[in-house]
Amino acid sequence: AQSVAQPEDQVNVAEGNPLTVKCTYSVSGNPYLFWYVQYPNRGLQFLLKYITGDNLVKGSYGFEAEFNKSQTSFHLKKPSALVSDSALYFCAVRDPYYGQNFVFGPGTRLSVLP
Amino acid sequence: EAQVTQNPRYLITVTGKKLTVTCSQNMNHEYMSWYRQDPGLGLRQIYYSMNVEVTDKGDVPEGYKVSRKEKRNFPLILESPSPNQTSLYFCASCQDKVSTGELFFGEGSRLTVL
């Protein structure tokens, strides 16, 4: 069965510093991996995805993520954090072998301090 | 504009009073799904649908019903709501079961059952 872990409930970072939000996954085959962001009182917004190819993928708002197959990780990164990046971040996996259901991690709350 | 629309956004009801949360998408997506979001539990899938007249249970289907009579609509029905169904609900859609596309989410429906 597929699963997603986000080991940190909360990440705090100072504005201008680099940020990392961690995600590890477990699937049977080759995963499709996604990051979503949720701002207060809003739905989830797609940030980026890894399907195949280059392990470093770039997405919206300056975010990027690195797929590491050996470590089964897909950490979200940004070189310089903004206060407006403060939100709840979800990692998700979809295993084509099992069909199209998405499995989400529990979420990590990012706080960027001015 | 591509979007998933849910109604109502906010609802307070009482135990046992049937309610329906509507969901509509304008992207001609085959796949639609309902999730509930609870603190510390992330997103949990309630039901999903691969196409018209095709629905299946997710991880937490108890107490819910769905229907998919038209491709664009996927209502969530609570026949006899109970307080443990107080939650934030999201409808989502994506292209189809074999695509690499991401999920598109509605803005959410916050339900309180007294």
Side-chain angles (χ1 to χ4, degrees):
Chain A
Q2 44 192 353
S3 65
V4 178
Q6 293 180 242
E8 299 157 319
D9 293 335
Q10 174 95 29
V11 170
N12 297 320
V13 64
E15 187 175 29
N17 283 1
L19 70 87
T20 298
V21 182
K22 296 179 180 178
C23 171
T24 59
Y25 65 89
S26 174
V27 298
S28 299
N30 296 316
Y32 297 165
L33 295 157
F34 304 81
W35 275 103
Y36 286 83
V37 60
Q38 184 182 27
Y39 298 104
N41 300 313
R42 301 296 302 276
L44 278 72
Q45 298 177 31
F46 169 74
L47 276 180
L48 51 80
K49 65 182 176 183
Y50 172 82
I51 304 300
T52 188
D54 194 345
N55 289 344
L56 184 64
V57 294
K58 295 185 184 298
S60 307
Y61 312 122
F63 283 94
E64 58 188 28
E66 185 167 13
F67 171 62
N68 188 317
K69 188 171 184 178
S70 63
Q71 297 185 7
T72 61
S73 67
F74 188 57
H75 300 332
L76 181 70
K77 301 180 180 183
K78 188 174 182 181
S80 178
L82 300 172
V83 172
S84 57
D85 292 329
S86 299
L88 188 57
Y89 290 81
F90 289 97
C91 181
V93 65
R94 177 178 169 181
D95 186 343
Y97 180 82
Y98 281 96
Q100 75 287 7
N101 281 344
F102 290 75
V103 173
F104 287 82
T108 297
R109 186 163 299 281
L110 173 67
S111 292
V112 182
L113 309 172
Chain B
E1 179 188 355
Q3 59 186 4
V4 178
T5 304
Q6 298 177 226
N7 282 297
R9 293 287 314 278
Y10 301 91
L11 179 62
I12 300 174
T13 190
V14 295
T15 299
K17 186 175 182 181
K18 180 180 178 180
L19 67 91
T20 299
V21 185
T22 64
C23 174
S24 179
Q25 50 93 4
N26 64 358
M27 295 166 280
N28 202 36
H29 284 168
E30 289 187 0
Y31 178 86
M32 298 186 73
S33 181
W34 276 102
Y35 296 86
R36 61 178 287 173
Q37 183 181 13
D38 301 291
L41 298 177
L43 287 167
R44 295 181 292 170
Q45 189 177 47
I46 303 171
Y47 269 94
Y48 64 96
S49 169
M50 294 190 209
N51 214 325
V52 175
E53 302 291 0
V54 181
T55 63
D56 210 344
K57 296 177 180 179
D59 299 318
V60 288
E62 295 79 18
Y64 304 94
K65 287 175 57 177
V66 292
S67 68
R68 189 92 181 273
K69 293 184 171 58
E70 305 166 283
K71 197 171 188 178
R72 64 182 292 124
N73 296 324
F74 190 46
L76 179 70
I77 303 157
L78 286 72
E79 293 271 2
S80 183
S82 62
N84 65 10
Q85 293 178 298
T86 293
S87 187
L88 179 58
Y89 292 87
F90 288 102
C91 181
S93 71
C94 75
Q95 186 175 351
D96 57 47
K97 64 180 180 179
V98 297
S99 76
T100 60
E102 64 272 19
L103 276 173
F104 290 80
F105 282 84
E107 291 290 285
S109 297
R110 186 169 293 280
L111 171 65
T112 301
V113 183
L114 302 176

